[in-house]
Amino acid sequence: MSVTAGATPARTSPAGAARHRRVFIPVLAALIALAWVALWAWARSPYGRYLEHDDWTASGPAAFLCRVVPAGDVVVPMALYAAAWILMTAAMMLPTTLPLFNTFDRLTAHRPDHGRLLMLLGLGYMTVWGAFGLLAHALHSAVLTLLASVPALAWHGWLIGTATIALAGAFQFSRLKYRCLEKCRTPLSFVIGHWRGERQARHAFALGAHHGLFCVGCCWALMLLMFALGTGSLGWMLLLAAVMAIEKNVRWGQRLSTPLGVALLSWAVILVATHA
């Protein structure tokens, strides 16, 4: 199936449009809401400390698993962190991908395996963010090890948070940010350019992963802010999710990048001034 042939189903019939409004949008909205509710419940449970990376193996079920699972001290924290990161990504990033899923839903609505293709698209997207989360976890662990081994740096731990905020602010002005953001803001041309309709399952997963790479390229610095602000802070999650959704989905959203960068850099300067 050619690209041109695959693009025509995007103009759906009135019945298809009604099905889209009645089924697809509520299901995606329910998944997003479920992810936020799960995060809220986890943060307020006795195991909420796992979201903040505190005492992963000191007590509770995680400590027991660390003792019984081979290499548990490494495997269990990584698995818990991966689960927390994927849940956080689903809550924060799925709203920003609504145009992508919307376009792909219309494009494949006539296929009998339409639902499976949508799931594979989402799986490919989340796989990329999961891999980024594991890299972020490794970086975070390395920073904690450095702080533990260098007491002088531990006394000035605020520098790491400030540097993260400054990095996120500076990245808002980078060419990579705008190139990736442009891909995220034009899902129709992205899908038409990458969807071939052959070997549908593999290509649907690859399409989601490819779009996820651009999404990571656009938002990685803002997501790293969660390490400076607290990965268990639902308030900051909501604020960052709203910012990223506006950047990608709203007509004037691209203009938000510059003032956001200025605000983050100014915040970093204020932190330096107050601690110096």
Side-chain angles (χ1 to χ4, degrees), residues 164-181 215-225 240 243-248 253-266:
T164 304
I165 294 170
L167 174 64
F171 185 71
Q172 291 298 110
F173 300 96
S174 70
R175 184 176 300 178
L176 177 61
K177 165 76 179 188
Y178 284 95
R179 286 184 61 189
C180 293
L181 181 59
C215 191
V216 169
C218 171
C219 301
W220 67 269
L222 290 177
M223 289 295 283
L224 285 184
L225 282 176
L240 288 176
V243 167
M244 291 184 287
I246 291 172
E247 271 192 328
K248 293 182 180 181
Q254 199 166 9
R255 284 180 262 168
L256 183 63
S257 297
T258 297
L260 178 60
V262 171
L264 289 170
L265 289 173
S266 300

Side-chain angles (χ1 to χ4, degrees), residues 42 78-88:
W42 189 347
M78 186 175 292
L80 284 170
Y81 180 77
W85 183 269
I86 290 173
L87 191 59
M88 184 172 69

Side-chain angles (χ1 to χ4, degrees), residues 129-146:
W129 272 108
F132 173 77
L134 291 178
L135 288 175
H137 171 61
L139 176 62
H140 185 253
S141 299
V143 170
L144 292 180
T145 301
L146 181 63

Side-chain angles (χ1 to χ4, degrees), residues 4 6 19 38 47 58 61-64 69 71 112-113 124 128 145 165 186 221 232 255 264 273:
T4 304
R19 181 203 61 80
Y47 312 110
F64 172 75
V69 173
D113 57 349
V128 172
T145 301
I165 294 170
T186 55
R255 284 180 262 168
L264 289 170

Side-chain angles (χ1 to χ4, degrees), residues 66-263:
C66 286
R67 291 192 297 269
V68 300
V69 173
D73 289 344
V74 176
V75 173
V76 173
M78 186 175 292
L80 284 170
Y81 180 77
W85 183 269
I86 290 173
L87 191 59
M88 184 172 69
T89 301
M92 296 179 68
M93 302 309 301
L94 281 183
T96 74
T97 62
L98 179 59
L100 171 70
F101 282 90
N102 184 25
T103 300
F104 191 75
D105 175 66
R106 293 175 184 273
L107 188 68
T108 61
H110 66 291
R111 295 181 181 272
D113 57 349
H114 163 253
R116 183 170 69 100
L117 294 179
L118 274 174
M119 290 180 60
L120 288 169
L121 178 75
L123 182 60
Y125 180 85
M126 295 301 296
T127 297
V128 172
W129 272 108
F132 173 77
L134 291 178
L135 288 175
H137 171 61
L139 176 62
H140 185 253
S141 299
V143 170
L144 292 180
T145 301
L146 181 63
L147 289 174
S149 61
V150 183
L153 186 58
W155 280 102
H156 298 86
W158 62 272
L159 283 171
I160 297 175
T162 302
T164 304
I165 294 170
L167 174 64
F171 185 71
Q172 291 298 110
F173 300 96
S174 70
R175 184 176 300 178
L176 177 61
K177 165 76 179 188
Y178 284 95
R179 286 184 61 189
C180 293
L181 181 59
E182 185 61 29
K183 292 289 186 180
C184 293
R185 287 178 58 84
T186 55
L188 178 58
S189 61
F190 182 87
V191 171
I192 290 176
H194 293 81
W195 174 250
R196 298 294 181 267
E198 302 167 353
R199 289 173 294 197
Q200 297 96 331
R202 192 177 79 177
H203 283 174
F205 181 89
L207 178 65
H210 200 167
H211 193 271
L213 286 173
F214 283 109
C215 191
V216 169
C218 171
C219 301
W220 67 269
L222 290 177
M223 289 295 283
L224 285 184
L225 282 176
M226 292 308 303
F227 290 98
L229 303 172
T231 51
S233 173
L234 296 185
W236 283 114
M237 285 186 200
L238 281 168
L239 179 60
L240 288 176
V243 167
M244 291 184 287
I246 291 172
E247 271 192 328
K248 293 182 180 181
N249 298 339
V250 178
R251 182 176 302 174
W252 49 266
Q254 199 166 9
R255 284 180 262 168
L256 183 63
S257 297
T258 297
L260 178 60
V262 171

